[in-house]
Amino acid sequence: MISLSASEQEQTTGVGGGTADEAAAKAAPAKTAPATPAPTSGDRGLVGGSFSMSSKRPKREGPTSGDGEYTFRDNSGRTDLAVSVQHLSITYRTTFERVPTFKNAIVRAGRGERALIEVNAVNDVSFDVANGTALGIIGSNGAGKSTIMRALAGILPPTKGRIETWGRASTLLALGVGFNAMLSGRENVILGGLASGLSRAEVEERANDVAEWAELGDYIDAPMRTYSSGMFSRLAFSVAVHMKPDILMVDEALSAGDAAFREKAQAKMDELRSSARALFLVSHALGSVKEMCSDCIWLHKGKIMMHASPAECVDAYTRFVKVGQTPATMEEL
């Protein structure tokens, strides 16, 4: 490829350019464009564990390097972490209008305008989770708890920042998401296992254990549209905990079933906490967080208010919202 400078182009294409100029341009040696250096490992933006997500947008806040972007820690050689989150921000863009009318829509269309607002669900959040940690995440509604869980699961990409996880994650973010109500419970167990990355043989091997643990009996072969909400929740919980995940993420799902099943579920969570790399628990049942978690994060309006022990975070949170540690706040209803 031949690349000419601006002055050479003027000589060859200028006003009244004669044949002498054209001949000189043809006789000049060809100039090749400089080769673009190959990207290095530091340019990829994806380093660390078996699953990593990073924003491609320029960063403007927080500790920065000389080029105006965040300075991220390189975790490629770490083996002690299950999850690393660095300067995570997630922004939703949506349309909003207090009184939507056809007239306003026409006016905006004529002006080339769109009524868009940005919701900063998570704002510059950073934390590390070591292997063997059970992390509780607490906060009021709209604090960004479920948004962070979906980002950790790879469902939501970060607007800014970086997320790294080591190992296979099993998510229980909303009970029964992905289940087909027209299929039987057993068929949904197989679909859930395949979606988790297990082979067909592994899924079929665990299907009976899932059905027995959920205590559904013969209903496991009935269509899930015939299930009660409790049966539906119990099967979804059973599928999530029997996939032998490295990282288990649970969002408001411990209220499945009756008292006996809740005690059984808590025992299973204790077993997973001892065998899995990490456990994430989002719950408004502060007593469950204090009992089951070894570390805790309190979120408020997308920011970390406190990262400490579960007892310290729960005490600070209940004082902040001006409620006492009553059965209504400590346990799920």
Side-chain angles (χ1 to χ4, degrees), residues 9-256:
Q9 291 178 0
E10 290 175 357
Q11 292 177 0
T12 57
T13 61
V15 178
T19 58
D21 291 340
E22 295 175 358
K26 293 179 180 179
K31 297 183 180 180
T32 59
T36 303
T40 61
S41 59
D43 298 329
R44 288 197 298 264
L46 299 182
V47 296
S50 59
F51 162 73
S52 183
M53 298 180 70
S54 180
S55 169
K56 301 301 182 183
R57 301 184 183 183
K59 318 299 189 300
R60 299 180 180 178
E61 302 174 358
T64 59
S65 59
D67 58 0
E69 296 189 356
Y70 283 125
T71 301
F72 295 111
R73 184 181 64 251
D74 186 358
N75 293 322
S76 56
R78 300 288 294 271
T79 59
D80 60 321
L81 294 179
V83 172
S84 176
V85 177
Q86 301 182 58
H87 303 292
L88 174 66
S89 295
I90 297 178
T91 301
Y92 297 108
R93 299 187 66 192
T94 182
T95 59
F96 175 78
E97 189 175 3
R98 284 187 171 84
V99 184
T101 63
F102 180 72
K103 177 182 177 180
N104 291 340
I106 294 297
V107 171
R108 284 198 308 271
R111 295 176 180 175
E113 299 176 350
R114 294 185 64 188
L116 290 177
I117 63 171
E118 290 189 349
V119 179
N120 297 318
V122 178
N123 189 7
D124 196 14
V125 169
S126 299
F127 60 89
D128 291 334
V129 179
N131 291 330
T133 300
L135 179 68
I137 304 178
I138 63 174
S140 304
N141 291 330
K145 305 183 299 295
S146 297
T147 300
I148 285 183
M149 293 285 276
R150 282 164 170 75
L152 294 177
I155 299 173
L156 289 177
T159 305
K160 300 178 182 178
R162 174 180 293 169
I163 302 172
E164 298 167 278
T165 65
W166 287 258
R168 184 177 70 239
S170 178
T171 59
L172 196 53
L173 304 181
L175 291 173
V177 169
F179 281 4
N180 188 333
M182 302 304 296
L183 300 179
S184 68
R186 189 180 303 277
E187 291 169 332
N188 277 288
V189 168
I190 294 175
L191 288 178
L194 293 175
S196 299
L198 301 179
S199 66
R200 179 86 181 192
E202 290 174 323
V203 172
E204 293 178 349
E205 178 184 349
R206 301 175 190 179
N208 291 331
D209 294 336
V210 171
E212 182 179 353
W213 198 88
E215 301 175 353
L216 294 180
D218 294 336
Y219 283 100
I220 190 64
D221 293 311
M224 289 196 68
R225 58 184 172 81
T226 64
Y227 286 14
S228 67
S229 58
M231 295 168 63
F232 198 96
S233 300
R234 284 157 56 183
L235 182 61
F237 186 89
S238 183
V239 170
V241 299
H242 278 83
M243 295 300 112
K244 293 184 179 180
D246 297 313
I247 301 171
L248 180 62
M249 304 178 185
V250 182
D251 187 356
E252 301 289 355
L254 294 181
S255 59

